[in-house]
Amino acid sequence: MLSVAVVPYLPYRPTSVAHGRVSCSTCSVRRACLPHSLAESPDVLDKLAYARKRVKVDDVLYRMGSPFESLYAVRTGFFESRTAVADGREQVTGFHMPGDIVGMDGLANGVHAAVVIAIAEAEVCVIPRARLEDQDVQRHVHGAMTREIGRAHDMMLALGTLRAEERLAAFLVGFSQRMRSLGYARDDFNVRMSRLAIGSYLGLSLETVCRMLGRLRDAGLITVKQKRICIVDLPRLRSVCGITEARRKADLSLRTREA
Amino acid sequence: MLSVAVVPYLPYRPTSVAHGRVSCSTCSVRRACLPHSLAESPDVLDKLAYARKRVKVDDVLYRMGSPFESLYAVRTGFFESRTAVADGREQVTGFHMPGDIVGMDGLANGVHAAVVIAIAEAEVCVIPRARLEDQDVQRHVHGAMTREIGRAHDMMLALGTLRAEERLAAFLVGFSQRMRSLGYARDDFNVRMSRLAIGSYLGLSLETVCRMLGRLRDAGLITVKQKRICIVDLPRLRSVCGITEARRKADLSLRTREA
DNA sequence: CGTACCTTTGATAGAGTTCAAGAACGGTGG
DNA sequence: CCACCGTTCTTGAACTCTATCAAAGGTACG
């Protein structure tokens, strides 16, 4: 059983700190982090930048129940967010990569509904709540929110209608897309998260994740070697998961042009 | 099989119309529709109001694939939204009651990802895209979006971790809360949607919905007579679904005070 | 009043979970 | 460098939950 202690309403202890004003204009993930329109004007960028924060592996960015203080733009590293139901069961509700904005689960109630943990050495930009008043920042956050709504709906769809194999295929395709949009290879990557985390995210047991990976491997769509996964036949992998053609296209239009 | 024809990129034909400027200040669902802070100033309200639109049962508010033109605030009636995956499978992704804002699935890509159908004679307020530029409107929509993110995350949790009986219990509890927040009885109501729609929404077959309703009935938690459902033992029903205590409280704080 | 749709309930089958044990990997210390 | 340990991954077998198939009531509505 996973054991992430839930300590509601406790101010998160600063994990590792590197505070001080910084600029987004030099950020490596600027393009991914900001809409192109904003990326042009440096003065807008600097409104976003406030402070950076380092988070070590397995350290907590914020806890479930802690008051909402700020959003975080992931600069480097990798996060995982979990939410819990009453009896201790909990689910991974998202993986967050450079360019993502994290913390929106606290917007609705002023209290975070999830706990966010670094699963790779990470650095984030802090966007304090007060800064959300700003017009340009708000527009930016607004965009992140619409994308989050879309992502959540896709997830509902996957959890509600897709079968284990399809969910996993969809997960891999999505992961591949995001990796590529960050400039990494899209057909050969390390999934940092454990089978347990993937399973939780997809509403499956970790054993099923293994089995379905095995099935996809046997079908010649991927190769699997522990955390390293290579996509051998992306088109066929796409055809496995029942992602809407229209939606997929729309998704791609958010990224750079298809190769 | 459900058969909602998917006609992408076709401008929706106006269903039933009652256009012309109207005012929110006289709207019966004003309290539910608008944050209290905004509800005070009538001039702000009038910025939101633009036109009304009547939608008859089984008529489409907007179609999947149609370009995003506006958001809709539900005044009266009841809607159901569905999204599809490639092979024709589709899922109910939401039920919308008076006070809800509908159409946010079109914000991300400028194209609607869902089709929204009236399941009860309905009337909506149209909020054209241009109007979203306005500060106050934006703030209002922002609130609706945060709530939508929260709702979607709850749904992911339910679909990912809860079992059939728990999902149904959670659904009933949530429905009960929303009914009460609209001023209806919370322990005796008509679910307008079919078992098929409920099942789709919860990722279950319609037969399972029936069976689980039967089980809850046999346990003395509810009574069921076709579409009419009475909640006999709300506390116990709550204990069945694994909703976080903290989250439930937070949820309630959005409504009027607990009786 | 009959037809079509929705709901309920039963029987069967299948997908995925759970339990269990072994294998592969990564880190640590001798 | 190697052996050891804990963790994570993989695979098998039995079981559970839910879907699917099927048929019989109900209800709504023309």
Side-chain angles (χ1 to χ4, degrees), chain B residues 163-165 203-205 207-208 211-212 225-226:
Chain B
R163 292 182 291 146
E165 189 177 9
L204 303 169
S205 71
E207 293 95 332
T208 301
R211 271 186 259 275
M212 295 307 143
K225 197 181 177 188
Q226 300 287 129

Side-chain angles (χ1 to χ4, degrees), chain A residues 138 142 145, chain B residues 24 29-39 44-45 47-49 71-74 99-101 104 125 127 131-132 134-148:
Chain A
Q138 203 168 67
H142 186 270
M145 284 171 65
Chain B
C24 281
V29 295
R30 174 164 42 96
R31 264 178 52 89
C33 179
L34 296 166
H36 293 28
S37 56
L38 279 180
V44 169
L45 296 184
K47 283 193 204 159
L48 266 173
L71 293 176
Y72 305 89
V74 180
D100 289 355
I101 287 195
M104 290 183 284
C125 286
I127 309 172
R131 201 144 304 215
L132 298 180
D134 183 273
Q135 263 296 281
D136 301 299
V137 175
Q138 203 168 68
R139 189 168 311 157
H140 184 202
V141 171
H142 185 270
M145 285 172 65
T146 61
R147 264 170 278 136
E148 175 63 15

Side-chain angles (χ1 to χ4, degrees), chain A residues 164 205 207-208 211:
Chain A
S205 71
E207 293 95 330
T208 301
R211 273 186 258 273

Side-chain angles (χ1 to χ4, degrees), chain B residues 11-22 50-56 59-63 66 69-77 79 112 116 118 120-127:
Chain B
Y12 58 79
R13 47 127 215 259
T15 42
S16 311
V17 242
H19 273 280
R21 276 195 75 76
V22 293
Y50 170 72
R52 288 189 199 164
K53 191 172 178 179
R54 285 201 163 278
V55 190
K56 287 192 292 236
D59 263 4
V60 170
L61 183 59
Y62 57 80
R63 292 182 183 286
S66 65
E69 297 296 354
S70 45
L71 293 176
Y72 305 89
V74 180
R75 281 175 58 85
T76 62
F79 290 91
H112 282 295
V116 171
E121 188 81 12
E123 194 178 34
V124 298
C125 286
V126 181
I127 309 172

Side-chain angles (χ1 to χ4, degrees), chain A residues 93-216:
Chain A
T93 50
F95 298 110
H96 312 289
M97 307 161 75
D100 289 354
I101 287 196
V102 179
M104 291 183 284
D105 57 283
L107 285 171
N109 300 327
V111 169
H112 282 295
V115 55
V116 171
I117 304 166
I119 59 177
E121 188 81 12
E123 193 177 33
V124 298
C125 286
V126 181
I127 309 172
R129 179 164 53 177
R131 202 145 303 216
L132 298 180
E133 301 296 323
D134 183 275
Q135 263 298 282
D136 300 300
V137 174
Q138 203 168 67
R139 188 169 311 156
H140 183 204
V141 170
H142 186 270
M145 284 171 65
T146 62
R147 265 170 276 136
E148 175 64 15
I149 290 176
R151 191 190 67 84
H153 279 192
D154 284 351
M155 212 54 215
M156 283 174 54
L157 222 65
L159 292 171
T161 71
L162 302 188
R163 292 183 294 147
E165 189 177 9
E166 298 170 318
R167 286 185 212 176
L168 206 45
F171 171 75
L172 289 175
V173 169
F175 194 83
S176 158
Q177 274 181 5
R178 298 181 76 188
M179 288 303 276
R180 186 165 59 88
S181 78
L182 289 175
Y184 298 109
R186 81 169 144 187
D187 54 0
D188 181 350
F189 44 76
N190 266 53
V191 290
R192 337 282 294 227
M193 46 279 201
S194 68
R195 301 284 191 264
L196 187 66
I198 296 173
S200 172
Y201 183 61
L202 299 176
L204 303 169
S205 71
L206 72 100
E207 293 95 330
T208 301
V209 173
C210 281
R211 273 186 258 273
M212 295 306 142
L213 283 176
R215 194 184 289 184
L216 292 174

Side-chain angles (χ1 to χ4, degrees), chain A residues 55-126:
Chain A
V55 190
K56 287 192 291 238
V57 176
D58 287 336
D59 264 2
V60 169
L61 183 59
Y62 56 79
R63 293 182 183 286
M64 192 156 24
S66 65
F68 171 71
E69 298 295 353
S70 44
L71 293 175
Y72 305 90
V74 180
R75 281 174 58 87
T76 62
F78 210 166
F79 291 90
E80 176 182 303
S81 58
R82 300 155 177 262
T83 313
V85 284
D87 51 0
R89 273 178 294 180
E90 62 174 15
Q91 187 184 15
V92 173
T93 50
F95 298 110
H96 312 289
M97 307 161 75
D100 289 354
I101 287 196
V102 179
M104 291 183 284
D105 57 283
L107 285 171
N109 300 327
V111 169
H112 282 295
V115 55
V116 171
I117 304 166
I119 59 177
E121 188 81 12
E123 193 177 33
V124 298
C125 286
V126 181

